[in-house]
Amino acid sequence: MVKFYESSFSYEYPFPAVSLAYFLRYPNPYAKHVLSTDTIDRHFDPDSQRLYTTRIHLKRSKLPPAVLKLLPKGILGSSSDSGQSYILETSVVDVREGWMTTETKNLEWTGILSVIEKQSYRRPIPENTSKIGEITNETQTGTTDVTTSTTFVSRFGQGALRTARRRAEIAPANKGAAADTHDDAQPKKGLLSSWSTSSLQRTIEAIGMRRTREALLKSKDGMNVVLGRMRSGGLVEVLEGMRRDREGVYGPEGPWKTRGWKGIEDDGSQLG
């Protein structure tokens, strides 16, 4: 089963500021559950003038309680109690043409619910602009349009259904009258099982959609906080805000203060 959700809105900030804020959005007061962000790959294509980035986010997250209630006990093992999950993010930025596309997807619990979110950030094209990539005062001080489309796919129970169907297909055809009677009952059982699984998948997807709507609102609020900091104090204020937000989560002696860049202590001495 598959469900889709789409929304559109605009930031009251120009595209260069929004695209930069996207990469600096964690942490913020609305995303205290984000524990870390690591860049896996980043490269610039000189021919297309586009920046390609792959990052992974570690978040404090669990399956919604409403979903857990629908699942058989023990199906998740200890993973449901870990309290953390990884999100893979890929993005492409074209500053010259004024657009950015992003895609995020969960790496945990994909057998239960896979959520793929795609976003398109685009600088509006003024009527007096002849080329998409032409820079004008309007494109530098205008807004940025954002379109978000999210796909929810629950595959829960599909493996068991496939196994049952394969067994039914290879079952001997001739087993006498008793076997014939038993075989006649098999499709009914399979139909009931299929209906139950589909209903459960739809319920899980609906819960995921409801949670995603709430998360999108918080994501927009978080981006606006970063953009506001950028407008009031530039990059320095953004970085200072990130420091304050980290301290709000971990305290003044957070893990980032014990080890600096490339194993250098805060006082400049080399770690052993």
Side-chain angles (χ1 to χ4, degrees):
M1 304 301 296
V2 180
K3 283 187 179 296
F4 300 94
Y5 175 73
E6 186 169 299
S7 66
S8 299
F9 59 90
S10 297
Y11 287 112
E12 298 299 321
Y13 295 87
F15 175 78
V18 173
S19 58
L20 177 58
Y22 180 85
F23 292 103
L24 300 174
R25 71 191 190 279
Y26 296 139
N28 68 69
Y30 294 92
K32 294 181 179 180
H33 62 294
V34 180
L35 302 176
S36 65
T37 296
D38 293 289
T39 301
I40 299 175
D41 178 66
R42 173 170 285 163
H43 66 276
F44 178 75
D45 185 347
D47 296 328
S48 64
Q49 297 287 297
R50 293 172 182 171
L51 177 67
Y52 295 81
T53 305
T54 301
R55 303 194 297 176
I56 191 166
H57 306 290
L58 176 61
K59 300 185 177 183
R60 187 185 296 114
S61 176
K62 289 186 178 182
L63 283 172
V67 172
L68 290 175
K69 291 179 181 179
L70 299 173
L71 304 179
K73 293 182 179 180
I75 191 172
L76 297 177
S78 60
S79 63
S80 62
D81 300 323
S82 65
Q84 297 180 354
S85 62
Y86 288 98
I87 306 296
L88 183 66
E89 170 196 292
T90 58
S91 62
V92 182
V93 184
D94 192 317
V95 178
R96 182 177 58 183
E97 295 186 0
W99 59 262
M100 174 174 69
T101 59
T102 68
E103 179 180 299
T104 58
K105 58 184 178 181
N106 60 306
L107 300 181
E108 311 285 345
W109 312 310
T110 54
I112 298 171
L113 180 63
S114 178
V115 181
I116 302 175
E117 178 185 281
K118 296 182 180 182
Q119 288 189 303
S120 172
Y121 297 74
R122 188 168 295 275
R123 178 176 61 210
I125 304 174
E127 295 181 359
N128 59 349
T129 303
S130 58
K131 298 180 180 179
I132 294 179
E134 183 178 341
I135 304 299
T136 66
N137 289 334
E138 290 184 64
T139 58
Q140 289 295 84
T141 59
T143 62
T144 301
D145 297 331
V146 184
T147 300
T148 303
S149 60
T150 309
T151 304
F152 305 86
V153 182
S154 176
R155 299 182 177 86
F156 178 71
Q158 288 186 352
L161 281 176
R162 284 195 295 267
T163 300
R165 287 169 182 168
R166 284 197 297 267
R167 288 177 178 175
E169 290 173 357
I170 63 176
N174 300 317
K175 288 187 176 180
D180 291 339
T181 303
H182 176 72
D183 290 340
D184 290 341
Q186 287 299 106
K188 297 180 182 179
K189 181 178 179 181
L191 178 62
L192 178 61
S193 176
S194 176
W195 179 86
S196 300
T197 300
S198 298
S199 178
L200 184 58
Q201 289 173 349
R202 286 193 297 268
T203 302
I204 292 174
E205 290 164 355
I207 294 172
M209 180 180 295
R210 186 164 59 249
R211 194 179 186 188
T212 295
R213 289 196 190 101
E214 299 172 356
L216 282 174
L217 292 175
K218 291 183 178 180
S219 176
K220 183 181 178 181
D221 290 338
M223 279 281 288
N224 277 319
V225 168
V226 177
L227 288 163
R229 290 170 176 172
M230 191 178 299
R231 173 174 287 176
S232 63
L235 188 57
V236 173
E237 176 60 24
V238 172
L239 297 177
E240 177 62 19
M242 293 171 70
R243 183 192 64 78
R244 293 193 301 267
D245 293 333
R246 287 195 183 98
E247 289 188 356
V249 176
Y250 296 105
E253 299 300 324
W256 68 91
K257 299 201 69 173
T258 60
R259 183 181 292 270
W261 179 247
K262 293 185 178 179
I264 305 297
E265 289 281 14
D266 289 339
D267 60 2
S269 60
Q270 185 75 34
L271 289 174

